[in-house]
Amino acid sequence: MLPSKLELQSFPRRNDAEIAVAAEIADLIHDRNQEGLPTVLGLATGSTPIGVYAELVRRHREQGLDFSAVTTFNLDEFVGLSPQHPASFHAFMDQHLFSKVNLPKDQTHVLAGHLPMEALEEECASFEDRIRQAGGIDFQLLGIGRNGHIGFNEPPSSGDSRTRLVTLDATTHRAYQDGFAAGEMPNYALTMGVATILESRRIVLAALGEVKADIMLALQGTFDDPDLPASFLHRHPNAALVLDAPAGSKLKDPTGSQAGGK
Ligand code: F6R
């Protein structure tokens, strides 16, 4: 088995894990603000980051955490969905973070999946350009699908993949269909590629809840496998897996010696 570089951080409860992730993001923003430097964040949606964003909002309100020099890039967005649709990731980000902190709207980048099909390739290329122009991503927050996807890089996704149009698989349909009326959920999405994600200088994948236990076990023993897209993270020099106890309950050594963590 190849050695993993993934640092493993295990917490007894979900809330402890959420606060640890938020604290790392807040410290990064604070330190870079102090040095007069901008911070570039890669952000996720879904149930996993909700508590992280709530804690960041709390720190903004109660401790003055300043988002004015932050630029954000979201991992993914559904295709063919208005940004105003409540299940769109545009709406999610507005609801949970953007409308609640002092982040200038023109410094937020969510893929424009609502554009006509023929404009999507250009949108993906432009998204990659915007990341480059911002100087790359300092910190990328990830969740993980039960099928091992990161962003919407569904299995199989190559480690060389860039931001592109993808077809959502059956597992993802089941996970996200609650936000949609019957038959309304899009079949396609735009997603940051695996290679794009791996270029981030720091990556934190949060996996919370018993529902993630099986995929965590699979990830522990799988390296560089397009059928488990998160497995490419093992080779990143500065990536961490943040788990609560239920998500880590099936790991062979949850203290992390196999994953090289603390
Ligand atoms: C969402 C995203 C997805 C989710 C994953 C887990 O922007 O990129 O990869 O992180 O589907 O979703 P939750 O957190 O709802 O279990």
Side-chain angles (χ1 to χ4, degrees), residues 43-49 75-76 89 142-145 149-152 176 212:
L43 298 177
T45 59
S47 61
T48 307
L75 283 165
D76 39 22
F89 292 164
L142 297 176
I144 184 169
H149 74 202
I150 48 174
F152 275 151
Y176 284 86
K212 299 294 165 69

Side-chain angles (χ1 to χ4, degrees), residues 11-40:
F11 295 89
R13 290 169 307 166
R14 180 184 185 104
N15 191 239
D16 302 319
E18 292 166 340
I19 288 177
V21 174
E24 181 173 339
I25 298 171
D27 288 349
L28 178 72
I29 295 171
H30 176 265
D31 291 352
R32 292 184 67 86
N33 283 347
Q34 292 287 103
E35 293 169 44
L37 296 171
T39 306
V40 182

Side-chain angles (χ1 to χ4, degrees), residues 77-80 117 152 165-168 173 185-190:
E77 178 58 290
F78 294 107
V79 162
M117 271 288 181
F152 275 151
L165 176 72
V166 291
T167 305
L168 298 173
H173 264 269
M185 183 174 160
N187 289 318
Y188 301 104
L190 301 182

